[in-house]
Amino acid sequence: MLYQFLICFLAGLGAGLGTGFAGMSAAAVISPMLITLLGVEPYAAVGIALASDVLASAVSAWTYGKNKNLDIRNGLVMMAAVLAFTLVGSWVSSRVPSATMGSFSKYMTLLLGVKFLVKPVMTTRESMAAADPKKRAVQSLICGVLVGFICGFVGAGGGMMMLLILTSVLGYELKTAVGTSVFIMTFTALTGSLSHFAIGGMPDLWSLLFCVLSTLLWARIAARFANKASPVVLNRATGAVLTVMGAAMLLI
């Protein structure tokens, strides 16, 4: 039990920091650690990770929203598409070999971390406001379909793909992108976890409880720090967290 708690606490620490800093899904860290170190079945591990995302993303979204770094109106269009295709992705993932689900999140985490270190996001609120609302709505719908499917399929890809799309395609500044991402991930994670549990059954309750509480704690800490940091510091912190996590998971 102590070993199980320690692994879940460390997994939640990494997942919470990733969620609070970068809007990253907890599955990027929790799933590989539970699979590798506790022998949890991959599909159940993704379900635990998505369940851990729900409260962590919610408290992060509340923190970003309180600091006016959340775009709810434009995020709703993407969220509708994401929610629908999360269910599709979850169903498909239950019929795909476990090995296919295992490696995607590790490489995605590492590459996105390097991206923020090498090419930081320095978009301003002014340039965000200048974007064409109709074009952004169409882009949000199309991107939401892709993100939703990935979120349901491997969990991890959803949050990271959403952050990449919000900053690179839709032109969001970093804090607003993270705030909007965790807002959407609150609902996609809830949908994804419920569909995983409905299809694959309930996972180990102790692992679920330990991961949920640890992720919630560290996501709250990271989100508070991120909202007070400058764009340069936030880019470096986000890049460093993702790069270290990605490299560590590849080594494991």
Side-chain angles (χ1 to χ4, degrees):
M1 178 68 74
L2 180 60
Y3 175 74
Q4 182 182 17
F5 170 78
L6 178 61
I7 296 302
C8 291
F9 178 80
L10 293 175
L13 187 154
L17 292 179
T19 299
F21 276 122
M24 183 181 75
S25 171
V29 178
I30 291 179
S31 295
M33 290 190 68
L34 294 186
I35 294 167
T36 305
L37 301 177
L38 292 180
V40 178
E41 193 274 325
Y43 192 74
V46 173
I48 292 174
L50 287 170
S52 301
D53 252 336
V54 178
L55 292 179
S57 294
V59 74
S60 297
W62 179 81
T63 303
Y64 278 91
K66 186 174 68 172
N67 288 275
K68 304 187 185 301
N69 291 316
L70 172 59
D71 185 1
I72 296 178
R73 185 179 64 181
N74 289 312
L76 288 175
V77 176
M78 181 181 287
M79 184 174 71
V82 169
L83 284 172
F85 279 82
T86 296
L87 292 173
V88 177
S90 180
W91 180 82
V92 172
S93 72
S94 69
R95 285 155 175 78
V96 172
S98 298
T100 304
M101 299 168 60
S103 60
F104 177 84
S105 62
K106 302 175 186 178
Y107 290 102
M108 186 67 184
T109 303
L110 178 60
L111 292 175
L112 192 57
V114 173
K115 185 265 181 189
F116 280 110
L117 289 174
V118 175
K119 190 178 180 181
V121 177
M122 300 304 293
T123 308
T124 63
R125 291 180 183 272
E126 290 73 20
S127 61
M128 276 182 58
D132 181 11
K134 292 183 179 180
K135 180 180 179 181
R136 175 168 288 174
V138 173
Q139 290 175 326
S140 297
L141 181 62
I142 296 173
C143 294
V145 171
L146 176 62
V147 170
F149 181 83
I150 294 174
C151 178
F153 186 69
V154 292
M160 289 180 288
M161 282 294 292
M162 202 177 307
L163 180 64
L164 183 62
I165 287 170
L166 287 171
T167 54
S168 301
V169 179
L170 300 181
Y172 279 59
E173 59 95 17
L174 186 54
K175 288 184 182 179
T176 305
V178 175
T180 305
S181 176
V182 291
F183 169 73
I184 297 173
M185 283 303 297
T186 301
F187 300 95
T188 59
L190 178 61
T191 305
S193 61
L194 291 178
S195 62
H196 267 66
F197 297 155
I199 295 170
M202 286 298 294
D204 178 71
L205 293 180
W206 284 114
S207 295
L208 178 63
L209 179 63
F210 293 155
C211 287
V212 167
L213 294 179
S214 180
T215 306
L216 175 62
L217 170 65
W218 292 103
R220 171 63 172 156
I221 294 172
R224 292 186 65 180
F225 175 83
N227 277 276
K228 296 178 180 179
S230 67
V232 174
V233 171
L234 182 57
N235 270 278
R236 289 175 179 171
T238 301
V241 168
L242 294 178
T243 301
V244 170
M245 287 181 182
M249 286 186 290
L250 285 173
L251 290 175
I252 292 175

